[in-house]
Amino acid sequence: MVELNTTVAIIGAGPSGLLLSQLLANAGIDSVIIERSSKNHVLGRIRAGVLEWGTVETLKDAGVSERCFAEGLPHDGFDLFFNGERHRVDVSHYTGKQVMVYGQTEMTKDLIEQREAEEQSIFWSTPDAQLLDVDGNNPKVSFTNVDGKPVTLNAKIIAGCDGFRGISRQAIPQEKLREFERVYPFGWLGVLVDKPPLHHELIYANHQEGFALASMRSNTRSRYYVQCDNGDIVDDWTIDQFWSALITRLGPELGPKVQTGDPLEMSIAPLRSYVAEPMRYGRLFLAGDSAHIVPPTGAKGLNLAVADVRRLARAIERWKLKGADAALEDYSKEALNRVWKVERFSWYLSTMLHQFPEHSAFEKRMQEAEFSYVKSSEAATKSIAENYVGLPF
Ligand code: APR
Ligand code: PHB
C-alpha cells in the first residue's frame, strides 16, 4: 500500500480539473489529479470552441493564455438565421466585450503542458478511483497505480471534476441529491473539416428541416453542426448527406458558400439540460460537467465549468490561507445561482433555434414570434448578447 497526502484531490483531468489544479498551484496550494483515461485520449477529444471573455481572463490569470491570444479568433458578434431572415447579435456593441474562438482541445493542451512543466502529479489511465469518507474528517481517494500497487491518497478536499459520467456526483447520498433534467428530442451531428469557414463569424440557423451551426477553429479549419434525430448514429449519415443538410438549412444566400470536403472528425452529441444540487457534500465539491450539463447551443459548457473552477479555487484559497470556512460553505449556493442563469440561456436559445418534432402549430408560431421580437428589439438582442459574452462571475 502506497500512502500519499495532498491538500486537494482532483478527480478528472478535463478542463475543470486541469484549470483548478493550475489556479491552486498559483496560490501555492498542492493537488493531485486522478484521470480515468490516457493523456492522448483526453487530448484527442473534439469539443466546443467559443470562450467567454471571462474565461479568457481566467486563462490569463492562470498563466496559460499565450497561445489563446496568439492563435484564437476574437469575435465581435454572431448571426441568427431564421427561415431566411438574418439578424446579427453585435456582442461588442452591446457589452463592450468580445468572445474568443479557441478550441477546448487547444485549451486542454495548454493546461496539460503547463501542469507538466510545473511537475504536477497526474495519475493518467486510472479508472478505479474510489472516494472514501467524503463527509468525514479524513477524506481519501483509493486507486491502483501504474505498477499495480494500491494507493490511498489522503486529502483535505476532494474536487469532483470528472464530468457527467464520473463517480463524484455518485458519492453524494441519493437522499441528499436533487436532480433536474430536460433531454431534448434531437442531437447534433458535428463535422470538423480543413476548409476555410463560410463566414468570419458564427451563424446559428433554424430552418424548417432543422438547426444548423457554422463555426470554426481557425481561418483554415471549420466546424459545422446539423440537428439530427435522437436515435441517429454517425453511420446513419454519409458526409454528402451532411453537407446537403447543412447547405439547405443555411439557405440560398449562405449555403452555396460552404466549402465542403472530407471530414477530419464526425460525431453525434445528444442534447440535455441537467443540474445536480447541491454542488457540495462534506469535503467533496463538484465543478463543471459533474454538476451540470447544458445543450451546446449557447456555447456554455466549457465556460460554465471555468466559472465553477474560478469560484472553487478562490474558496479553497480563502479556506487554506485564511482559515475561512465561510467561502467553502457558500460555494454551492453561489455557483448554482450562476449555473441556473446559464442553464436558462442555453435552454432558451435551444428552444428558439431547433425544430421540435412534438411542436404544435401554435408552438411553431411562438418560435417565429420569438425570433421576430428579437430581430425588432434592441433590448432583446442586448439580452442575448450579454448572456452569450458571459454573465459576471
Ligand atoms: N475517475 C477519474 N477520471 C474520470 C472518471 C473517474 N471515475 N470519470 C470521468 N473522468 C474524467 C474523464 O475522463 C474526463 O477527462 O474526468 C474528465 C471530465 O472532463 P469533462 O467531461 O470534459 O468535464 P469538465 O472538465 O467539467 O469540462 C466540461 O468539457 O466535455 C466538455 O462539454 C463539456 O465543454 C464542457 C467541458
Ligand atoms: C463549436 O465551434 O464547436 C461551437 C460553437 C458554438 C456553439 C457550439 C459549438 O454554440
Side-chain angles (χ1 to χ4, degrees):
M1 161 76 77
V2 175
E3 188 109 8
L4 301 173
N5 297 293
T6 188
T7 301
V8 183
I10 298 174
I11 313 298
S16 294
L18 291 165
L19 181 58
L20 177 61
S21 174
Q22 187 62 53
L23 293 175
L24 291 173
N26 292 352
I29 298 172
D30 63 291
S31 63
V32 172
I33 303 176
I34 299 104
E35 165 56 50
R36 174 178 62 187
S37 304
S38 70
K39 181 165 65 169
N40 285 341
H41 183 85
V42 170
L43 285 169
R45 290 176 182 142
I46 304 293
R47 291 286 193 277
V50 174
L51 306 185
E52 295 175 357
W53 206 254
T55 294
V56 175
E57 287 172 340
T58 302
L59 295 176
K60 186 163 179 276
D61 294 347
V64 291
S65 63
E66 188 180 338
R67 206 159 62 95
C68 177
F69 281 107
E71 298 176 16
L73 302 173
H75 278 199
D76 293 312
F78 61 94
D79 280 359
L80 296 173
F81 196 70
F82 197 103
N83 273 344
E85 278 198 272
R86 209 164 160 178
H87 178 54
R88 182 161 184 270
V89 178
D90 189 339
V91 168
S92 292
H93 168 70
Y94 288 115
T95 70
K97 292 179 195 169
Q98 297 171 301
V99 292
M100 180 75 89
V101 172
Y102 188 65
Q104 176 176 316
T105 310
E106 305 314 313
M107 177 178 148
T108 304
K109 197 181 298 179
D110 298 338
L111 282 164
I112 289 174
E113 276 179 14
Q114 188 59 33
R115 299 313 304 126
E116 290 184 333
E118 296 177 19
E119 298 180 351
Q120 166 65 37
S121 171
I122 305 180
F123 288 88
W124 298 103
S125 306
T126 303
D128 66 338
Q130 289 188 350
L131 310 189
L132 305 165
D133 199 25
V134 295
D135 62 335
N137 294 321
N138 183 20
K140 52 178 79 68
V141 182
S142 69
F143 58 91
T144 308
N145 70 13
V146 68
D147 301 322
K149 290 198 171 64
V151 178
T152 294
L153 172 64
N154 300 303
K156 300 296 183 192
I157 284 173
I158 299 176
C161 300
D162 47 350
F164 185 64
R165 291 178 176 77
I167 55 171
S168 298
R169 191 175 66 248
Q170 317 304 331
I172 301 179
Q174 200 54 43
E175 66 272 14
K176 304 271 187 188
L177 200 64
R178 297 180 299 281
E179 297 181 279
F180 307 81
E181 186 172 53
R182 161 94 158 101
V183 178
Y184 295 86
F186 40 74
W188 279 17
L189 170 61
V191 160
L192 193 65
V193 63
D194 267 344
K195 291 287 182 184
L198 153 72
H199 186 55
H200 69 283
E201 293 180 333
L202 272 63
I203 299 167
Y204 293 79
N206 183 344
H207 179 276
Q208 63 196 20
E209 283 194 13
F211 169 85
L213 169 59
S215 183
M216 64 199 74
R217 289 293 176 271
S218 69
N219 292 324
T220 59
R221 180 168 289 188
S222 298
R223 181 68 167 164
Y224 293 110
Y225 298 91
V226 297
Q227 172 182 343
C228 62
D229 293 340
N230 243 348
D232 280 4
I233 59 173
V234 175
D235 293 346
D236 292 333
W237 288 73
T238 66
I239 188 60
D240 291 339
Q241 287 169 328
F242 174 86
W243 291 127
S244 171
L246 179 75
I247 289 166
T248 300
R249 297 178 191 188
L250 289 172
E253 176 201 341
L254 293 166
K257 295 178 183 174
V258 174
Q259 294 191 43
T260 65
D262 292 333
L264 296 170
E265 188 262 0
M266 200 165 169
S267 58
I268 287 183
L271 270 68
R272 82 174 70 237
S273 299
Y274 172 87
V275 179
E277 295 180 353
M279 291 173 59
R280 174 203 183 164
Y281 176 67
R283 290 289 178 161
L284 171 65
F285 295 82
L286 304 182
D289 276 17
S290 62
H292 42 69
I293 295 290
V294 284
T297 325
K300 290 301 166 196
L302 175 60
N303 292 296
L304 197 47
V306 168
D308 287 352
V309 164
R310 184 184 177 117
R311 189 184 310 281
L312 181 55
R314 202 180 292 165
I316 292 172
E317 186 178 351
R318 286 186 190 141
W319 162 79
K320 173 78 175 172
L321 305 182
K322 299 172 185 166
D325 269 333
L328 288 176
E329 297 295 329
D330 295 342
Y331 167 73
S332 178
K333 176 169 163 286
E334 288 179 1
L336 283 166
N337 178 272
R338 190 175 187 281
V339 164
W340 277 112
K341 291 177 193 168
V342 175
E343 289 281 348
R344 180 208 69 82
F345 175 67
S346 303
W347 162 82
Y348 164 78
L349 269 192
S350 298
T351 303
M352 177 165 66
L353 293 173
H354 289 82
Q355 292 295 305
F356 287 73
E358 77 275 16
H359 263 185
S360 64
F362 173 80
E363 285 158 320
K364 287 185 183 301
R365 284 287 188 272
M366 284 296 99
Q367 248 190 358
E368 289 165 14
E370 182 62 32
F371 178 79
S372 174
Y373 168 60
V374 167
K375 194 169 186 319
S376 66
S377 164
E378 287 252 351
T381 303
K382 181 175 180 181
S383 172
I384 290 177
E386 73 176 13
N387 279 279
Y388 196 83
V389 80
L391 298 176
F393 280 131

